[in-house]
Amino acid sequence: MTSSKVKISYITIDSARKATFGKRKKGLLKKASELSTLCGIEASVIIYSPYDAQPEVWPSPARAQQVLSDFKKMPKKDQSMGMMSQKSFLRQRIELANKRLKKQCRDNREKEITQVMFQCLAGQGLENLNMMDLNDLGWLLEQNLKDIDRRISMFPQASQSQGYATAASATMATPEAMLNSGEKVEVKSPERGVSPETEQRQQLIKDLMHSPEDMGLDSMLSFGDNNPNAFFP
Amino acid sequence: MTSSKVKISYITIDSARKATFGKRKKGLLKKASELSTLCGIEASVIIYSPYDAQPEVWPSPARAQQVLSDFKKMPKKDQSMGMMSQKSFLRQRIELANKRLKKQCRDNREKEITQVMFQCLAGQGLENLNMMDLNDLGWLLEQNLKDIDRRISMFPQASQSQGYATAASATMATPEAMLNSGEKVEVKSPERGVSPETEQRQQLIKDLMHSPEDMGLDSMLSFGDNNPNAFFP
DNA sequence: ACGCCTATCTATAAACT
DNA sequence: TAGTTTATAGATAGGCG
């Protein structure tokens, strides 16, 4: 059992080095988490080793990045002030956290509605949706249509063969109208049967989608930064 | 004398929290450095607290950033490979370190010569310059002149008086030529201290300077990541 | 190689200056 | 309030199964 004072220098024996690495990594992360908890501060540890495929990042890549970008965003004045009061420091952090939370909520909502949209495309109908969902769905469709229009307008001489895409945009370009008339009624009485409009639209959409799987429809319709690996792309 | 088992939860007493913070921060950084040394790995710790104006970043902002950007630059294949051998891991790191060193050398050389140029403008004359410096100075002047020409040509009716304030700060572009002569020797000892050549050159430059102490020449000539603000510009 | 154990070393909470 | 001391909790090196 450990007798010598443990010299801190590179361990040449592979197995011993790996063992030590495992233990000490664990210890370091624990210490970091304790410090963070005890003092209510933000901290981050990055360990980049050949033993792990990905670098170990505590508490998470996103948090680590956040700490940095938050700091960058802070007004110069605060940065140079000798020491913030604990209070203003915490307030600062709370504000930023709230901001992030809001953004997260927005993104989640967007993903949710995107799901709904695909369900509709798959023929689920809009009957079970409430007002808010319909509103958001409308918004989402609008955004997507704008995007489609923009893309179409990039072809200076759209030939007939692209006709369906154009038609799609032309036909669907009135999501507000869609929501304003027939749909709202449905919201009030969700139990009602499928309206003619809905069926018609479903058919239209199905017709419009020659082969939904082969083209990157996903990438065309999704937006926002869905990349969970933004930190290590 | 510590008796209780120390619950890990936010310390409400300000003074105690601050004291603990100081101790534990120190401990954490020590642990990190030990881990890094013992296992020959790259690690980084970021501590963002109201007690320090700047976030504490170990071993240095630049290193921290480097670890991340190095990783990003790695080919996908290596990232997904379960575990690199220690050897290839180290080779990878050495390559990247060398690359950085080369760039640093280039940048330093450029700054050196820029200094020389200003000395000349201040009337020091060219007597004390050796062949290499003269060559590089020539190159730098050429670059600056080209830049000036380019800028002038952007004014349809350029007046004479746009002058060299613009030119001075512009064009710090990468001179391939600079790499070819003396610099390569230094590359062989990556991460290490300042080589004799560099020292010699530093002396040369200092001799050329009116007042060596008033301008941060050292910081300009030194290698590695001495810039504490690089991470948080 | 992997996990468990325990003697020993290290970090640090609390007391004290 | 900050630095120093000291007793103890916690981390871990090396041994063993």
Side-chain angles (χ1 to χ4, degrees):
Chain A
M1 303 87 179
T2 316
S3 46
S4 61
K5 241 189 78 165
V6 206
K7 281 179 347 188
I8 301 297
S9 71
Y10 184 74
I11 299 170
T12 47
I13 296 141
D14 280 25
S15 59
R17 190 174 56 251
K18 190 176 179 189
T20 290
F21 176 76
K23 289 177 183 180
R24 280 180 173 263
K25 184 178 80 175
K26 192 180 134 205
L28 185 66
L29 295 183
K30 186 178 175 195
K31 288 279 181 196
S33 113
E34 289 181 355
L35 174 60
S36 179
T37 303
L38 286 166
C39 304
I41 57 145
E42 203 80 60
S44 165
V45 176
I46 300 162
I47 301 172
Y48 177 33
S49 79
Y51 308 113
D52 305 290
Q54 299 285 322
E56 192 84 28
V57 181
W58 181 92
S60 77
R63 298 292 309 144
Q65 204 173 37
Q66 211 65 65
V67 173
L68 299 178
S69 61
D70 284 0
F71 185 81
K72 275 195 273 199
K73 268 182 243 150
M74 283 170 102
K76 281 279 174 346
K77 202 168 53 174
D78 285 356
Q79 284 183 38
S80 58
M81 262 190 335
M83 176 171 113
M84 249 178 294
S85 74
Q86 181 74 359
K87 210 166 165 184
S88 72
F89 173 74
L90 287 175
R91 184 170 306 128
Q92 177 81 257
R93 278 188 45 204
I94 289 168
E95 270 169 31
L96 286 160
N98 276 336
K99 227 157 127 191
R100 289 202 291 279
L101 182 63
K102 266 187 197 154
K103 185 177 181 336
Q104 198 58 251
C105 287
R106 268 201 310 269
D107 290 357
N108 286 346
R109 181 67 182 154
E110 206 167 293
K111 291 195 176 109
E112 220 175 281
I113 295 299
T114 303
Q115 284 295 325
V116 171
M117 186 179 74
F118 280 111
Q119 274 171 27
C120 292
L121 287 174
Q124 290 295 310
L126 301 171
E127 302 77 35
N128 300 319
L129 302 180
N130 64 26
M131 179 65 109
M132 203 176 71
D133 287 340
L134 285 170
N135 263 334
D136 290 349
L137 183 54
W139 177 86
L140 183 60
L141 288 170
E142 210 171 278
Q143 296 306 310
N144 287 336
L145 285 171
K146 273 183 198 158
D147 190 50
I148 292 170
D149 282 343
R150 195 178 49 72
R151 282 160 190 257
I152 288 173
S153 71
M154 286 166 67
F155 294 91
Q157 308 238 339
S159 74
Q160 273 319 62
S161 63
Q162 274 147 5
Y164 71 91
T166 314
S169 120
T171 313
M172 296 172 67
T174 50
E176 278 178 305
M178 280 158 63
L179 287 174
N180 288 343
S181 47
E183 310 304 315
K184 263 184 183 163
V185 179
E186 288 177 27
V187 170
K188 284 171 188 163
S189 48
E191 275 72 41
R192 254 181 66 172
V194 176
S195 73
E197 286 92 341
T198 305
E199 224 163 36
Q200 189 186 328
R201 197 166 56 250
Q202 275 181 20
Q203 195 50 50
L204 172 64
I205 290 171
K206 280 180 188 165
D207 290 344
L208 288 173
M209 295 178 55
H210 262 178
S211 43
E213 68 286 359
D214 65 2
M215 223 301 237
L217 194 62
D218 283 23
S219 69
M220 286 190 72
L221 294 179
S222 69
F223 41 99
D225 32 281
N226 295 350
N227 182 359
N229 290 323
F231 209 31
F232 303 111
Chain B
M1 308 85 170
T2 313
S3 47
S4 64
K5 241 190 79 167
V6 205
K7 277 181 19 193
I8 300 298
S9 71
Y10 184 73
I11 299 169
T12 48
I13 296 142
D14 280 25
S15 57
R17 189 175 56 253
K18 190 177 180 189
T20 290
F21 175 75
K23 290 177 184 179
R24 281 180 174 264
K25 185 178 80 175
K26 192 179 135 205
L28 184 66
L29 295 183
K30 186 177 175 194
K31 289 279 182 197
S33 115
E34 288 181 355
L35 175 59
S36 178
T37 303
L38 285 167
C39 305
I41 57 144
E42 203 80 58
S44 164
V45 176
I46 300 163
I47 301 173
Y48 177 32
S49 80
Y51 309 112
D52 304 290
Q54 298 284 323
E56 191 84 29
V57 182
W58 179 92
S60 80
R63 297 293 309 148
Q65 204 172 38
Q66 210 68 63
V67 173
L68 298 177
S69 61
D70 283 0
F71 187 80
K72 276 195 274 196
K73 266 182 247 151
M74 281 170 100
K76 281 276 173 349
K77 203 170 50 176
D78 285 355
Q79 285 181 38
S80 57
M81 261 191 334
M83 175 172 114
M84 248 178 293
S85 75
Q86 181 75 358
K87 209 166 165 184
S88 74
F89 173 73
L90 288 175
R91 184 171 305 128
Q92 178 81 257
R93 278 188 44 206
I94 288 169
E95 270 169 31
L96 285 161
N98 276 336
K99 228 157 127 188
R100 289 202 292 280
L101 183 63
K102 266 187 199 160
K103 185 177 181 337
Q104 198 58 248
C105 286
R106 259 183 279 132
D107 290 355
N108 286 345
R109 180 63 181 158
E110 206 168 292
K111 289 193 176 112
E112 264 174 44
I113 294 300
T114 303
Q115 283 295 324
V116 171
M117 186 179 73
F118 280 114
Q119 286 305 315
C120 292
L121 288 174
Q124 289 294 309
L126 302 172
E127 300 78 33
N128 299 318
L129 301 181
N130 65 26
M131 183 62 111
M132 201 178 75
D133 288 338
L134 285 170
N135 262 337
D136 289 349
L137 182 55
W139 180 87
L140 183 61
L141 289 171
E142 213 170 275
Q143 294 307 308
N144 285 337
L145 285 172
K146 272 184 197 158
D147 191 52
I148 292 171
D149 284 344
R150 195 178 49 73
R151 282 160 188 258
I152 286 175
S153 71
M154 286 167 67
F155 293 92
Q157 308 240 334
S159 76
Q160 258 347 30
S161 61
Q162 290 294 336
Y164 53 156
T166 319
S169 61
T171 318
M172 291 291 161
T174 313
E176 305 275 10
M178 287 182 183
L179 263 182
N180 290 339
S181 42
E183 310 302 317
K184 267 182 180 162
V185 179
E186 293 172 20
V187 169
K188 284 177 186 161
S189 50
E191 317 256 47
R192 296 304 294 273
V194 177
S195 73
E197 283 89 343
T198 304
E199 236 161 30
Q200 183 187 331
R201 204 161 52 248
Q202 278 183 14
Q203 196 49 52
L204 170 65
I205 301 288
K206 277 181 185 167
D207 289 344
L208 289 172
M209 300 279 294
H210 256 183
S211 44
E213 68 286 358
D214 65 1
M215 225 298 237
L217 193 63
D218 283 21
S219 72
M220 289 191 72
L221 294 178
S222 67
F223 283 19
D225 19 79
N226 293 349
N227 181 357
N229 290 323
F231 212 28
F232 306 109

